[in-house]
Amino acid sequence: MDLELAGTIAVVTGTSRGIGLACARQLAAEGCRVLLVARGEAGLLAARDAILSAGGEAAILAADVTIDSSASAIVEAAVREFGGLDIGVANAGGSAGPREFDATTGGDWERAFRLNVVHATNLLRAAATRMEAGGRGSAIFIASVSGSSPQGSNAQYAAAKAALIHAARSLERNPI
Ligand SMILES: NC(=O)c1ccc[n+]([C@@H]2O[C@H](COP(=O)([O-])OP(=O)(O)OC[C@H]3O[C@@H](n4cnc5c(N)ncnc54)[C@H](OP(=O)(O)O)[C@@H]3O)[C@@H](O)[C@H]2O)c1
């Protein structure tokens, strides 16, 4: 497949395993230079090595995306490592608490929204400035079917993914 991404620069958050790593590997296979972001450095190094040994280009940044300042640090790292930023994939996400509503706390709900929604919008805001400078850019938010069809448990996750989908739809009608 040629998606005409050769030479572009991408950031994917939550990239040491799972969907984020699969996404980063596919982008690298398309010739994209990819910044991998997660909290654990060991997982990032293994992910980077897998991409390098397949002939791709990747760099890593250990960061917690729930901390507001990480968004600008991520964009700065992409510029430092590769000279710009064209594609931002906000993939890191999860339930951030127990699945049963009675067991959750207000803090669990706040953490779910921070991880799934605030991280994505922070990254987009930080990346948009850089993308404007480069004259192009794409932002991708990884949501879940739970955001449109609640599964009956894990309500804080479903609500956060619904909010993420709504944020994307709002932004698409009101471009930056
Ligand atoms: N798996 C599914 O069936 C499924 C279905 C629908 C949607 N999704 C969505 O797809 C995305 C990826 O899911 P997944 O199942 O592939 O996830 P996963 O296997 O649990 O991997 C999560 C990745 O995100 C990183 N991460 C977690 N918290 C982070 C934080 N605060 N800051 C930076 N990195 C963080 C993890 O590394 P560290 O722990 O080292 O930080 C890891 O690399 C999520 O948004 C999820 O909601 C998943």
Side-chain angles (χ1 to χ4, degrees):
M1 188 162 39
D2 182 5
L3 299 175
E4 300 183 357
L5 295 175
T8 58
I9 299 159
V11 162
V12 185
T13 62
T15 341
S16 53
R17 59 178 184 268
I19 293 168
L21 177 56
C23 178
R25 292 180 79 144
Q26 189 61 48
L27 285 167
E30 291 283 337
C32 196
R33 290 169 281 170
V34 190
L35 180 71
L36 316 175
V37 181
R39 292 166 300 180
E41 195 169 54
L44 284 172
L45 288 168
R48 184 195 62 184
D49 289 350
I51 290 175
L52 295 183
S53 56
E57 250 190 282
I60 64 167
L61 179 71
D64 182 342
V65 298
T66 64
I67 297 170
D68 283 340
S69 59
S70 69
S72 54
I74 289 168
V75 174
E76 282 162 21
V79 173
R80 185 173 63 247
E81 296 287 348
F82 301 126
L85 179 59
D86 303 303
I87 301 167
V89 184
N91 165 76
S95 57
R99 299 178 68 86
E100 297 311 317
F101 176 71
D102 289 354
T104 61
T105 64
D108 293 325
W109 282 71
E110 285 173 2
R111 276 188 290 281
F113 273 73
R114 184 152 273 284
L115 176 59
N116 292 282
V117 185
V118 180
H119 131 246
T121 52
N122 278 347
L123 181 63
L124 174 56
R125 211 179 302 105
T129 309
R130 179 64 220 180
M131 289 171 176
E132 275 167 7
R136 62 179 182 182
S138 300
I140 297 157
F141 294 173
I142 303 298
S144 166
V145 69
S146 299
S148 53
S149 301
Q151 308 293 297
S153 67
N154 220 353
Q156 75 278 11
Y157 176 71
K161 290 300 193 186
L164 182 64
I165 293 166
H166 208 75
R169 289 188 177 145
S170 299
L171 289 164
E172 132 197 320
R173 285 163 189 274
N174 181 21
I176 295 170

